[in-house]
């Protein structure tokens, strides 16, 4: 009995978050209609579907956090709460008719380029193979939860929850709650836990910079104006984006040239801490000893004051182990707990990059190749020996502070390339090794000026850095430059070929 060859889609997209939806919208614009979006979760929205913990909100101004071509005039606050982001994702999926392309509960195991047919074969858990002329992975940067390597966590007899697996049915009222981690997620969650817990112990390994949050409800009259006169919202977005851009470019990327801009960010956070916490000992514990920007700073007006409440303890002694009853620190002290929350973040450099196994031409395995050579991706999206492949969550792809800047830059890059293929009557496109190396060299050079290389980041334990100590997550250029390059990159940086030729040339 012969197994029928699976249908060949125009493209297979992995991930139904904002990245995957942006990719689908762009492919549609370029005339590709036969798309399939494979999503391991049971609904769309990516981060905003998975994360449901109390206090979840966007951590940059909402005015900048949407597709520019699909503004949302309805954000209720300057920093919109998580459920509104999820509703916005649903709105986009409905308006752009993306839902019918999506398959939920489809766990992708890996993808392989098939030279014979010049197409991608994508293996889905359960044995199914899905084929596409193009493969786009939009699996997110922060999608593989990290469980701490602390002995005994599995022995804990109470409830354990990672923040990405929040369970609203767990009753926290009056309980002894412990939380490990003080990253951006914990900064949002800790004040909410303190409102209900009988006692809260926060286990901090590395303090985080927290700046004041200029938050508040967006008045109805402003929302009305945004809906009726889109120009007003575009202007607000431009202001928000420009502020973030100045912070990023001056304070982080041009650290060596403009150390005062970075110092300013640090001072703002330190003054915020001084205003909110009087106790010098507590303040010292909450003060980072690395440069501002080495790890993502965050905004909150409620985080620091939480530690001044009598039922909240900040524990900075390292954790020795967890047992059935609670946590024991290295000095032998124990704290008994009913609930243990793991706000321990995400595993980028071992479990992500890429999130699935991808094998290209000549058997090149993307994850292996990145680890054995260096992490690289031309313009943060293409990799040599991986034809017709766009990796949206690649080294040097994250541009600016709103993820939508990255998504739209990548949409522009994909659009330009697909138009060029059509013009050349090409079926297969692949970035050249030379272009990839040139881009990598340029990014490496630019990083030399940034806080990551020129600053003091050794104690930050930032996920921006990979296992070789290189900060290859963020693109060290302005977003203006990234946006410009997405529409002007030299087309000669790619090799174009009809399917037949691409197969015989290998
Ligand atoms: P994170 O920044 O990686 O923080 C993880 C925390 O867990 C750190 O404090 C880390 O300490 C601690 N930790 C991990 N393993 C540990 C161990 N074995 N022992 C003790 N402590 C341990 O993760 P996150 O807070 O989830 O935030 C990740 C990113 O998500 C943020 O930077 C932000 O970009 C994004 N985020 C976005 C939003 C939004 O609204 N858009 C909201 C929340 C988060 P060390 O620092 O010492 O490793």
């Amino acid at each position: 009995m012969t197994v029928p060859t699976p249908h060949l889609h125009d493209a297979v997209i992995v991930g139904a978050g904002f990245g995957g939806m942006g990719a689908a919208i762009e492919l549609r614009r370029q005339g590709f209609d036969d798309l399939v979006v494979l999503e391991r979760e049971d609904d769309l929205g990516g981060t905003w579907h998975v994360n449901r913990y109390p206090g979840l909100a966007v951590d940059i101004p909402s005015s900048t956090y949407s597709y520019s071509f699909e503004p949302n005039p309805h954000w209720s606050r300057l920093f919109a709460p998580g459920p509104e982001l999820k509703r916005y994702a649903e709105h986009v999926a409905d308006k752009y008719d993306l839902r019918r392309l999506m398959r939920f509960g489809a766990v992708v195991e890996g993808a392989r380029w098939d030279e014979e047919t010049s197409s991608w074969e994508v293996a889905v858990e359960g044995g199914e193979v899905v084929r596409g002329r193009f493969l786009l992975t939009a699996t997110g940067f922060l999608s593989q939860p990290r469980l701490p390597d602390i002995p005994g966590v599995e022995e804990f007899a109470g409830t354990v929850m990672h923040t990405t697996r929040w369970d609203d049915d767990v009753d926290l009222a009056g309980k002894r709650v412990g939380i490990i981690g003080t990253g951006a997620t914990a900064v949002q969650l800790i004040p909410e836990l303190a409102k209900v817990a009988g006692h809260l112990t926060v286990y901090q390994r590395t303090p985080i910079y927290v700046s004041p949050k200029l938050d508040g409800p967006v008045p109805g009259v402003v929302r009305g104006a945004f809906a009726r006169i889109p120009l007003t919202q575009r202007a607000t977005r431009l202001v928000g984006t420009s502020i973030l851009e100045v912070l990023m470019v001056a304070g982080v990327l041009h650290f060596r040239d403009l150390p005062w801009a970075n110092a300013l960010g640090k001072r703002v956070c330190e003054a915020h801490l001084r205003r909110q916490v009087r106790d010098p000992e507590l303040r010292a514990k909450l003060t980072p000893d690395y440069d501002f920007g080495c790890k993502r700073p965050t905004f909150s007006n409620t985080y620091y004051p939480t530690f001044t409440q009598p039922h909240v303890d900040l524990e900075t002694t390292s954790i020795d182990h967890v047992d059935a009853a609670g946590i024991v620190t290295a000095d032998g002290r124990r704290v008994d707990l009913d609930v243990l929350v793991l706000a321990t973040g995400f595993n980028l450099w071992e479990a992500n990059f890429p999130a699935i196994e991808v094998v290209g031409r000549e058997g090149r395995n993307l994850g292996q190749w990145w680890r054995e050579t260096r992490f690289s991706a031309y313009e943060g999206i293409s990799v040599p020996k991986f034809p017709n492949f766009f990796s949206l969550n690649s080294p040097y792809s994250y541009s600016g502070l709103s993820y939508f800047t990255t998504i739209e830059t990548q949409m522009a890059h994909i659009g330009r390339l697909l138009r060029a293929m059509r013009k050349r009557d090409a079926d297969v496109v692949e970035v050249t090794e030379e272009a990839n190396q040139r881009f990598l060299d340029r990014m490496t050079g630019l990083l030399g000026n940034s806080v990551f290389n020129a600053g003091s980041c050794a104690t930050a334990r930032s996920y921006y850095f990979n296992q070789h100590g290189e900060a290859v997550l963020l693109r060290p250029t302005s977003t203006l430059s990234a946006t410009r390059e997405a529409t002007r990159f030299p087309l000669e940086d790619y090799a174009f070929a009809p399917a037949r030729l691409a197969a015989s040339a290998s």
Side-chain angles (χ1 to χ4, degrees):
M1 212 175 81
T2 52
V3 182
T5 313
H7 169 74
L8 180 64
H9 295 279
D10 287 335
V12 179
I13 299 170
V14 185
F18 283 123
M21 291 203 290
I25 291 169
E26 184 61 36
L27 286 164
R28 282 263 186 77
R29 284 177 182 162
Q30 302 304 327
F32 295 94
D33 275 322
D34 183 0
L35 312 176
V36 60
V37 182
L38 303 176
E39 168 59 58
R40 70 179 177 189
E41 303 294 335
D42 60 2
D43 200 0
L44 60 89
T47 288
W48 303 103
H49 172 60
V50 169
N51 285 283
R52 298 169 207 177
Y53 58 82
L56 174 68
V58 65
D59 66 354
I60 53 161
S62 308
S63 57
T64 66
Y65 201 82
S66 62
Y67 299 104
S68 60
F69 55 86
E70 190 54 44
N72 176 16
H74 308 297
W75 300 127
S76 67
R77 301 183 66 82
L78 293 174
F79 290 78
E84 288 187 30
L85 273 302
K86 165 81 172 152
R87 282 202 291 280
Y88 173 67
E90 286 166 353
H91 160 77
V92 171
D94 290 334
K95 177 160 176 186
Y96 292 83
D97 191 22
L98 303 176
R99 271 187 206 268
R100 64 187 176 82
L101 311 176
M102 295 176 180
R103 285 182 46 191
F104 299 114
V107 179
V108 173
E109 291 178 332
R112 179 174 287 274
W113 174 252
D114 179 33
E115 205 71 73
E116 286 288 305
T117 56
S118 295
S119 65
W120 283 96
E121 292 192 342
V122 181
V124 182
E125 198 177 76
E128 188 193 355
V129 173
V130 180
R131 289 172 67 225
R133 283 183 56 205
F134 291 90
L135 171 67
L136 296 94
T137 48
T139 45
F141 293 101
L142 303 163
S143 55
Q144 314 297 328
R146 177 172 54 192
L147 299 178
D149 50 356
I150 299 171
V153 173
E154 60 293 344
E155 322 256 302
F156 184 61
T159 306
V160 186
M161 286 189 282
H162 188 274
T163 51
T164 54
R165 290 284 173 258
W166 195 260
D167 182 354
D168 283 321
D169 292 336
V170 174
D171 181 17
L172 299 168
K175 298 281 167 57
R176 298 164 303 175
V177 180
I179 176 167
I180 302 176
T182 51
T185 299
V187 168
Q188 295 183 337
L189 178 56
I190 286 168
E192 300 303 313
L193 293 178
K195 285 180 191 163
V196 287
H199 193 93
L200 177 66
T201 311
V202 178
Y203 290 87
Q204 171 190 277
R205 190 163 63 181
T206 311
I208 182 169
Y209 281 105
V210 181
S211 81
K213 188 170 182 177
L214 301 175
D215 194 13
V218 180
V221 56
V222 174
R223 285 193 254 167
F226 284 171
R228 280 194 314 277
I229 317 163
L231 195 64
T232 54
Q233 193 171 17
R234 278 211 292 279
T236 310
R237 183 184 181 115
L238 185 65
V239 171
T241 308
S242 307
I243 293 171
L244 294 179
E245 180 80 349
V246 169
L247 285 177
M248 184 72 187
V249 173
V252 174
L253 301 183
H254 285 271
F255 176 83
R256 202 193 292 276
D257 302 334
L258 305 169
W260 57 266
N262 185 283
L264 194 65
K266 187 174 177 163
R267 298 249 163 74
V268 168
C269 296
E270 284 172 353
H272 188 45
L273 174 59
R274 256 197 318 278
R275 261 195 312 276
Q276 296 198 312
V277 175
R278 296 266 159 234
D279 173 3
E281 205 181 313
L282 177 58
R283 219 190 281 154
K285 285 183 178 177
L286 290 165
T287 304
D289 64 352
Y290 53 86
D291 279 328
F292 181 77
C294 291
K295 107 194 266 173
R296 185 163 175 145
T298 191
F299 304 91
S300 175
N301 299 328
T302 51
Y303 177 67
Y304 288 142
T306 301
F307 294 100
T308 64
Q309 297 179 40
H311 70 301
V312 179
D313 287 329
L314 176 64
E315 182 56 72
T316 54
T317 309
S318 61
I319 297 172
D320 183 71
H321 67 276
V322 177
D323 62 20
I327 293 184
V328 179
T329 39
D331 54 7
R333 278 180 300 122
R334 73 158 28 256
V335 172
D336 288 342
L337 300 170
D338 303 306
V339 179
L340 175 57
V341 177
L342 305 176
T344 44
F346 301 87
N347 192 339
L348 280 84
W349 301 109
E350 279 115 45
N352 218 342
F353 289 103
I356 57 165
E357 179 172 76
V358 185
V359 180
R361 228 189 257 285
E362 296 164 22
R364 180 175 283 182
N365 179 309
L366 184 58
Q368 218 176 332
W369 184 67
W370 271 341
R371 281 159 185 78
E372 285 171 3
T373 57
R374 287 178 65 197
F375 285 86
S376 65
Y378 175 72
E379 293 287 338
I381 193 165
S382 310
V383 190
K385 301 270 189 244
F386 293 85
N388 291 8
F389 173 53
F390 298 111
S391 169
L392 270 53
N393 305 104
S394 282
Y396 303 112
S397 59
Y398 203 106
S399 190
L401 288 174
S402 166
Y403 185 32
F404 284 89
T405 310
T406 304
I407 296 170
E408 292 198 28
T409 304
Q410 295 186 319
M411 288 169 72
H413 189 106
I414 294 168
R416 173 165 155 84
L417 209 49
L418 294 178
R419 283 192 297 277
M421 285 179 81
R422 188 170 310 123
K423 219 166 162 184
R424 289 162 174 72
D425 211 12
D427 286 323
V428 178
V429 69
E430 180 184 329
V431 72
T432 66
E433 297 268 14
E434 188 274 325
N436 185 58
Q437 186 61 46
R438 186 172 7 99
F439 183 77
L440 175 62
D441 290 344
R442 183 157 70 93
M443 294 302 112
T444 307
L446 289 171
L447 271 177
N449 203 4
S450 73
V451 71
F452 308 121
N453 284 27
S456 164
C457 290
T459 54
R461 286 179 178 269
S462 166
Y463 65 78
Y464 290 161
F465 292 83
N466 68 13
Q467 51 275 75
H468 309 302
E470 298 175 305
V472 303
L473 184 67
L474 306 182
R475 179 185 170 118
T477 73
S478 68
T479 59
L480 286 179
S481 142
T483 309
R484 211 173 29 237
E485 275 180 41
T487 53
R488 294 191 203 158
F489 62 88
L491 288 167
E492 309 78 67
D493 285 351
Y494 281 92
F496 296 83
R500 270 174 304 105
L501 285 186
S504 59
S506 64

